[in-house]
Amino acid sequence: MRQLISSFILLLAVAGGAWASPMVLGSDSSGASLNRHVELLEDTGAQLSIGDMADPAVQTRFRPADGRASVGQSRNPWWIKLELMRSHDAPHHWWLEVGAVTLLDLQLFLPDGQGGWHGRQAGERASFAAGRDHPYRRALFRLPPVSEQPLTLYLRTYDPAGNSFPLRVWQVAELDRVAARENLGLGLIYGVILALLLYNLFILFSLRDSAYFWYVLTTGFALVFILSMTGHGAQYLWPGQAVPFWLDRITLPSLWGLCASRFTQTLLQTRRHVPWAHWLLSMACLVYVAAIALTALGLRGPAAWIIALLSLTSIPAALGSALIRWRQGFFPALLYLCGYGLVLGSIGILLLRATGVLQPSALNAYVFPLAVAAESILFSFALAYRIQLLKREKNVALRQADREKTARLALAQANADELQSAVARRTAELAAANARLQLREQELQHAAFHDPLTELPNRRYLVERTGSALASAERHGEAVALLLIDLDHFKPINDRFGHDAGDLMLQIIAQRLREQVRAGDTVARLGGDEFAVLICGPDAELHAREIAGRLLVALAQPVLYGAAPLNVTISIGGALYPQHASTFTSLYKAADEMLYKVKARGRSGSAVCGEDGELSSSARLQLDVLNIPSGLG
């Protein structure tokens, strides 16, 4: 029953025109394309074998190729079904050509005459001799005798980098004549590229120029790449082995692209003239290396997509840098642009063929070799012109240097006195500039250690000064006192009269502070409305208490802002070395604690820390609170 249902499905498929018609070979069919007569089946998951082709359910999955000779990049194998028959006047013996040279895995299955199949391995996984029945650059297989009844054969192709299968049928004598013409044309292309390669190699040995080095490498890899694409590489360079990964369709164009990118950078001097393009081309070089590494790891599909997508950055970078350099007057950039444009067009055709958008044909099969040959010629002209430019620039520079040297000698001999005067003037200018620099340095030094509003030393200065004072006090057994001064009710002045009034108040307070301390004491503004006084000497404690008392009176005096008197009071907290602290940080902390105790007691007073660290009314702890009204005048 199942067989009857399958047969019925097959009959419906044939009636609906789902299958391609067999190719009928006539006496003039040698060289004819077979792709309009093949059927395709994508083997998702690589599940099928040649034995499965007898299953009617599998046969119903085949679809006509409609002339397609490429399905592009695919992770799955593809089965190709072909039926051949001959007319009564056609020869019996024919040869099948598979025009894709760089397929990774190609298998041909021919009927063995006993109901089974005879398989042949071809593609890059087979050597040249094992992958064909006739010494031709493309895969060529001898078919069983073709009768007037259909002969069915199958091909299985797998290549993640792109599956193409242009098929032709030949009489071997006709093929040999065509191959002779093809070899002649390709030989001319090889000869041109090789001659340019050797010519520029000799120039490289002579000039040792980096641009010639990268040109030689680019041309060499391009030549090997073309030999690989045409099949002559497998035929003559590595005939006895399968294609290794370093010679396959991913590695060779990657090496060629890497060297071409470096040649572009060197010829057009992109590092200096077109930095963005130089960066993109450097990134392209790294990506080419990554593609080669992926190929070595067996990830041929991702590597092929990387190379295809890389054109989105490397091509604009190369074209953009050439256009920019040409507009800058660098003529070799125009030659480069023409040569690269030809190769770019041919690469575009290759990418379209690899992705299945453009089908392989005789018209586009030789575009890339011809473009590379033309590119090599134009690039060679560009290099020669570049060398001429460099020589011309060198000669101009040498002549200019000679003229300048002669002029300098004549000027030195004729104007010795003027030169000496100029030296003297220059020396004076340098001295003046040095004086200005020293003054500027002093100004910067002053700005770094002083408050710009009050011209008092700032916190940084106070820290360094306190460190020196503590070290000196330790050596001489003296004392050091630190007073922290905070203005009470200062914020209402800013709020009511504005910051100009506040700045005036701070400047007057700073002036009064300087007037109430000794010449050897240090007054500093710590920030906002906070000030500090550093007192040194054996009688530092006594002076600190005296200064604190005077400051309470002097700083509480009104400050006139126009006709309005501004009133503030102050709170003072003090600490002594060595009684209360031994470093600036601890001394500051102790004085700050006393300051806040004063504020907690009602402000407008002073407190010097006693040995027990508490407020007292003894000689070691003094709290003076003046009954001066606070607020705004």
Side-chain angles (χ1 to χ4, degrees):
M1 178 63 68
R2 181 178 179 183
Q3 185 175 3
L4 289 175
I5 294 174
S6 300
S7 300
F8 181 70
I9 293 174
L10 285 174
L11 289 174
L12 290 178
V14 172
W19 290 350
S21 61
M23 173 66 177
V24 180
L25 302 177
S27 58
D28 58 348
S29 296
S30 181
S33 173
L34 303 176
N35 288 89
R36 291 194 175 276
H37 301 274
V38 303
E39 300 173 34
L40 303 177
L41 169 61
E42 184 176 7
D43 185 5
T44 304
Q47 301 293 323
L48 301 178
S49 65
I50 185 61
D52 297 321
M53 297 299 108
D55 187 350
V58 174
Q59 289 293 319
T60 60
R61 293 165 55 188
F62 276 93
R63 294 293 180 268
D66 295 328
R68 285 191 302 164
S70 173
V71 293
Q73 296 172 335
S74 174
R75 292 178 295 179
N76 301 312
W78 284 77
W79 286 87
I80 305 167
K81 179 183 177 182
L82 175 63
E83 290 186 340
L84 299 175
M85 56 188 300
R86 69 177 184 87
S87 61
H88 68 279
D89 60 342
H92 290 75
H93 298 288
W94 294 86
W95 297 74
L96 176 66
E97 174 201 342
V98 183
V101 175
T102 56
L103 277 176
L104 176 64
D105 185 1
L106 175 66
Q107 299 178 44
L108 171 67
F109 297 95
L110 298 171
D112 60 3
Q114 300 176 357
W117 299 92
H118 174 64
R120 291 289 304 276
Q121 177 68 54
E124 293 187 351
R125 289 179 174 174
S127 65
F128 177 82
R132 63 210 71 208
D133 294 326
H134 187 72
Y136 180 52
R137 60 191 182 91
R138 298 193 180 107
L140 191 69
F141 304 101
R142 184 183 182 93
L143 297 176
V146 181
S147 66
E148 297 181 11
Q149 299 298 321
L151 169 69
T152 302
L153 57 93
Y154 294 92
L155 293 102
R156 182 183 183 273
T157 172
Y158 171 69
D159 193 338
N163 290 277
S164 60
F165 40 86
L167 304 178
R168 291 184 181 275
V169 65
W170 291 96
Q171 290 294 305
V172 70
E174 176 68 18
L175 176 64
D176 288 340
R177 288 192 292 272
V178 172
R181 293 195 299 270
E182 291 177 344
N183 291 338
L184 178 60
L186 290 173
L188 291 175
I189 295 176
Y190 301 153
V192 170
I193 298 176
L194 183 60
L196 290 171
L197 174 64
L198 296 176
Y199 171 73
N200 287 283
L201 181 62
F202 291 140
I203 296 179
L204 171 62
F205 290 148
S206 175
L207 298 180
R208 305 298 177 92
D209 184 78
S210 59
Y212 276 93
F213 172 77
W214 291 112
Y215 173 86
V216 168
L217 287 182
T218 302
T219 307
F221 283 123
L223 180 58
V224 178
F225 182 31
I226 293 173
L227 287 169
S228 172
M229 289 179 57
T230 59
H232 284 137
Q235 185 175 3
Y236 297 112
L237 300 183
W238 50 89
Q241 61 176 347
V243 179
F245 85 90
W246 59 86
L247 293 173
D248 66 8
R249 65 187 294 183
I250 303 298
T251 303
L252 285 177
S254 297
L255 291 172
W256 173 69
L258 188 151
C259 295
S261 298
R262 291 292 296 124
F263 172 73
T264 303
Q265 291 176 320
T266 308
L267 175 70
L268 302 179
Q269 299 172 313
T270 55
R271 182 189 296 274
R272 183 173 63 183
H273 298 287
V274 197
W276 64 268
H278 185 85
W279 183 84
L280 287 177
L281 291 171
S282 298
M283 292 299 298
C285 293
L286 295 177
V287 175
Y288 280 126
V289 173
I292 296 172
L294 290 175
T295 305
L297 296 174
L299 302 175
R300 186 180 177 103
W305 276 111
I306 285 177
I307 294 178
L309 294 176
L310 186 61
S311 60
L312 299 177
T313 57
S314 60
I315 291 176
L319 291 177
S321 58
L323 285 171
I324 292 173
R325 293 290 287 128
W326 178 31
R327 296 191 63 180
Q328 291 173 350
F330 188 63
F331 181 74
L334 177 59
L335 298 175
Y336 173 90
L337 192 61
C338 295
Y340 189 75
L342 293 174
V343 173
L344 179 59
S346 66
I347 290 176
I349 293 175
L350 289 180
L351 292 176
L352 292 176
R353 283 168 52 116
T355 55
V357 177
L358 182 66
Q359 297 300 310
S361 68
L363 295 177
N364 56 45
Y366 303 103
V367 172
F368 183 73
L370 290 172
V372 171
E375 176 209 44
S376 300
I377 296 173
L378 291 172
F379 281 6
S380 181
F381 287 160
L383 283 173
Y385 198 91
R386 173 178 174 270
I387 294 299
Q388 293 299 323
L389 287 178
L390 292 177
K391 289 182 177 179
R392 191 181 309 165
E393 292 174 358
K394 182 178 180 181
N395 291 333
V396 171
L398 290 175
R399 289 195 298 270
Q400 181 66 22
D402 289 339
R403 287 195 296 268
E404 291 178 355
K405 182 178 179 181
T406 302
R408 284 195 301 269
L409 290 175
L411 183 62
Q413 293 174 359
N415 303 293
D417 293 339
E418 183 178 352
L419 179 60
Q420 185 176 2
S421 176
V423 170
R425 287 195 304 272
R426 184 58 178 164
T427 303
E429 291 174 358
L430 290 174
N434 188 44
R436 289 193 297 271
L437 288 175
Q438 291 179 350
L439 179 61
R440 180 58 179 165
E441 184 178 358
Q442 292 173 359
E443 292 175 351
L444 292 176
Q445 183 77 5
H446 183 272
F449 287 97
H450 287 78
D451 173 51
L453 178 63
T454 62
E455 290 298 323
L456 289 178
N458 57 17
R459 179 185 291 271
R460 179 179 175 185
Y461 181 89
L462 179 66
V463 172
E464 294 189 7
R465 179 69 183 89
T466 303
S468 301
L470 292 176
S472 177
E474 183 180 4
R475 289 194 303 271
H476 299 93
E478 297 177 347
V480 175
L482 177 64
L483 299 180
L484 296 183
I485 303 164
D486 191 78
L487 305 186
D488 304 325
H489 313 295
F490 177 72
K491 186 175 181 300
I493 293 175
N494 274 335
D495 294 342
R496 181 175 177 183
F497 294 97
H499 289 283
D500 289 343
D503 292 346
L504 175 64
M505 172 63 75
L506 292 174
Q507 291 171 340
I508 297 300
I509 292 297
Q511 179 181 353
R512 292 176 181 177
L513 278 172
R514 284 193 292 262
E515 292 172 352
Q516 298 301 324
V517 301
R518 300 176 302 175
D521 299 331
T522 300
V523 179
R525 182 191 178 196
L526 304 183
D529 58 350
E530 186 179 0
F531 297 85
V533 177
L534 181 67
I535 303 167
C536 306
D539 52 354
E541 181 178 356
L542 177 61
H543 281 294
R545 298 181 188 279
E546 292 177 354
I547 291 173
R550 293 199 301 269
L551 292 177
L552 285 171
V553 176
L555 300 187
Q557 299 300 318
V559 174
L560 291 178
Y561 179 64
L566 308 178
N567 291 316
V568 294
T569 58
I570 63 171
S571 297
I572 303 176
L576 302 172
Y577 167 86
Q579 293 94 320
H580 312 134
S582 59
T583 64
F584 171 80
T585 303
S586 56
L587 197 64
Y588 182 90
K589 182 178 180 181
D592 191 56
E593 290 176 356
M594 292 300 101
L595 175 63
Y596 278 92
K597 286 183 179 182
V598 171
K599 287 184 174 292
R601 294 283 297 269
R603 304 186 181 182
S604 186
S606 67
V608 179
C609 186
E611 290 185 354
D612 55 357
E614 298 295 336
L615 291 171
S616 69
S617 58
S618 65
R620 292 190 178 274
L621 179 65
Q622 174 178 316
L623 177 63
D624 298 323
V625 180
L626 300 180
N627 296 322
I628 300 173
S630 62
L632 304 175

